[in-house]
Amino acid sequence: MPESYVPKEAMGHGDGGSAALAIGEAESLERRPGAAPPGAGPPGAPVGKPRSLWSDAWHDLCRNPVFVLSALVILFLVVIAIWPQLIATGNPYRADLAKAQQGSQPGHPFGFDTQGRDVYTRVVYGARASITVGVCATTGAALLGSLLGGLAGFFGGWGDTLLSRLADIFFGIPVILGGLVFLSMVTSTTVWPVVGFIVLLGWPQISRIARGSVVTAKQNDYVQAARALGAGNGRLLLRHIAPNAVAPVIVVATIALGTFIALEATLSYLGAGLKPPTVSWGIDISTASPYIRSAPHMLLWPAGALSITVLAFILLGDAVRDALDPKLR
């Protein structure tokens, strides 16, 4: 019998408690079958269902102002990377030497660079190269690292040992020095050599995260039960382990995306990354560096755009990590 039908002051007091118990039993008998008890809410009221990890994480992210702000900034950057003409109608290659190094003017809020090109237009168009390199390099490193790390963690044995030693070799390569050596031999002006180099040096970190997640997930009881019921390796990986091991990979990849954008700008600044005529923030920063005192606007605007972009992706990754990490709940 529910305790709410018995007054607490009548419980345990002899006849009073017996009388209250009898009254409660009578009330329960008089209620129609299926009727909700008093205080249980109106009939047909929805009962809350437990949310999954992903729905619970999304609920927390939508209430996190850091995530919302960083996501809006990233969405804006993606839009202008795809359609820069929406906010910049000029030509990033058009030069007027008569206006070289001049400051802000009507219609040209960011001024002009050393060749008289509009800095505002070049900053807007420079988002395309940075976003393309960051997204493509992160996607490639995440797929390659997740595949190799997941298989090594699931099967173990000599393959796991070989992958660990191979990852140690790549971890020992200095990123900047390796980029200078590798990309100096490339003459292509497209973004793909830079993407390939970042993927080559970026997959070991993600592979270690994926391996650790798979090793932890495959020891859970539901995986052992599925194996006992005859599930094959492919089904275990795709249906039971991967959905529960992918969260750490997503967090690391989101944070790494901002790091990869900064790496591309650094290599372009040193002359080993993207090359003209590609419009890149790193190239413009390198061009403007000698004129930091006479024309600081040439350096500050592309450097500011780069800093905001990297910061937005790092903050987004931190928010996703906080939402997906059960230890922080």
Side-chain angles (χ1 to χ4, degrees), residues 250-282:
I250 293 177
V251 173
V252 174
T254 306
I255 299 177
L257 202 157
T259 305
F260 291 161
I261 292 177
L263 176 60
E264 175 273 319
T266 303
L267 293 174
S268 299
Y269 175 83
L270 296 174
L274 300 180
K275 300 175 177 60
T278 304
V279 181
S280 168
W281 291 333

Side-chain angles (χ1 to χ4, degrees), residues 18-274:
S18 300
L21 181 60
I23 294 173
E25 290 178 348
E27 291 177 351
S28 64
L29 291 174
E30 290 177 358
R31 288 199 308 270
R32 297 188 303 273
V47 179
K49 296 182 179 179
R51 294 193 297 260
S52 64
L53 172 64
W54 298 104
S55 60
D56 197 19
W58 178 250
H59 177 75
D60 292 343
L61 288 173
C62 292
R63 300 173 60 184
N64 189 343
V66 175
F67 171 81
V68 175
L69 180 60
S70 58
L72 290 177
V73 172
I74 292 172
L75 178 62
F76 172 74
L77 291 171
V78 171
V79 170
I80 67 172
I82 299 175
W83 300 289
Q85 301 85 358
L86 293 176
I87 62 173
T89 58
N91 187 339
Y93 302 105
R94 182 179 180 181
D96 185 357
L97 292 178
K99 299 179 179 180
Q101 301 185 30
Q102 293 184 8
S104 176
Q105 297 180 6
H108 306 279
F110 293 177
F112 300 88
D113 63 3
T114 55
Q115 300 183 28
R117 298 172 299 190
D118 185 25
V119 175
Y120 170 77
T121 303
R122 292 187 63 84
V123 168
V124 173
Y125 275 82
R128 173 177 294 178
S130 297
I131 296 297
T132 301
V133 170
V135 171
C136 293
T138 302
T139 303
L143 292 177
L144 181 60
S146 298
L147 178 62
L148 296 179
L151 293 176
F154 182 77
F155 292 104
W158 63 269
D160 187 15
T161 303
L162 179 62
L163 178 70
S164 299
R165 301 292 77 78
L166 184 63
D168 291 337
I169 294 175
F170 281 95
F171 273 122
I173 300 176
V175 177
I176 301 300
L177 180 59
L180 292 175
V181 173
F182 177 81
L183 295 175
S184 62
M185 300 181 295
V186 179
T187 58
S188 174
T189 59
T190 63
V191 300
W192 303 116
V194 180
V195 171
F197 169 75
I198 295 177
V199 171
L200 184 64
L201 293 187
W203 69 267
Q205 179 185 10
I206 297 180
S207 70
R208 286 193 170 182
I209 300 296
R211 176 190 175 278
S213 299
V214 170
V215 169
T216 302
K218 76 175 184 178
Q219 298 175 357
N220 292 328
D221 293 337
Y222 59 86
V223 177
Q224 303 301 327
R227 188 188 299 274
L229 291 174
N233 291 333
R235 183 179 181 84
L236 288 175
L237 276 171
L238 297 178
R239 294 293 301 274
H240 300 284
I241 295 179
N244 296 280
V246 72
V249 175
I250 293 177
V251 173
V252 174
T254 306
I255 299 177
L257 202 157
T259 305
F260 291 161
I261 292 177
L263 176 60
E264 175 273 319
T266 303
L267 293 174
S268 299
Y269 175 83
L270 296 174
L274 300 180

